[in-house]
């Protein structure tokens, strides 16, 4: 369930709001144990996602590094190569 949570720090261009929201959604899904909350829990679920996304944005905005920014395409290519070794070609 948490495969969509990826490192968001130190990329060029920086993480988008959509990426931060997707990571927050996956985190809340994992913690709550549900991918789709009931109507009774929808409001608190949505609030938790918003709060986690806000905290993540603050974290990313405050982190510093001396390492050069990573290239998204290069990192994606490395991930595809690791997956091919692990699971074979598609």
């Amino acid at each position: 369930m948490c495969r969509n949570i990826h490192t968001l720090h130190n990329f060029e261009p920086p993480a988008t709001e959509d990426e931060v929201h997707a990571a927050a959604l996956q985190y809340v899904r994992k913690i709550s144990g549900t991918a789709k909350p009931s109507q009774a829990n929808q409001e608190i679920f949505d609030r938790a996602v918003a709060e986690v996304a806000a905290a993540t944005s603050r974290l990313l905005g405050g982190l510093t590094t001396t390492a050069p920014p990573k290239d998204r395409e290069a990192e994606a290519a490395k991930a595809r190569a690791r997956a091919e070794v692990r699971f074979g070609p598609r």
Side-chain angles (χ1 to χ4, degrees), residues 38-69:
S38 66
Q39 283 185 324
N41 292 322
Q42 186 69 52
E43 184 179 338
I44 193 70
F45 187 91
D46 292 342
R47 189 173 342 137
V49 171
E51 290 173 3
V52 169
T56 300
S57 292
R58 285 192 305 275
L59 173 67
L60 292 174
L63 292 173
T64 60
T65 184
T66 57

Side-chain angles (χ1 to χ4, degrees), residues 21-50:
H21 182 269
L25 179 60
Q26 288 298 319
Y27 176 79
V28 172
R29 284 177 174 171
K30 182 68 172 185
I31 296 301
S32 68
T34 182
K36 179 85 171 111
S38 66
Q39 283 185 324
N41 292 322
Q42 186 69 52
E43 184 179 338
I44 193 70
F45 187 91
D46 292 342
R47 189 173 342 137
V49 171

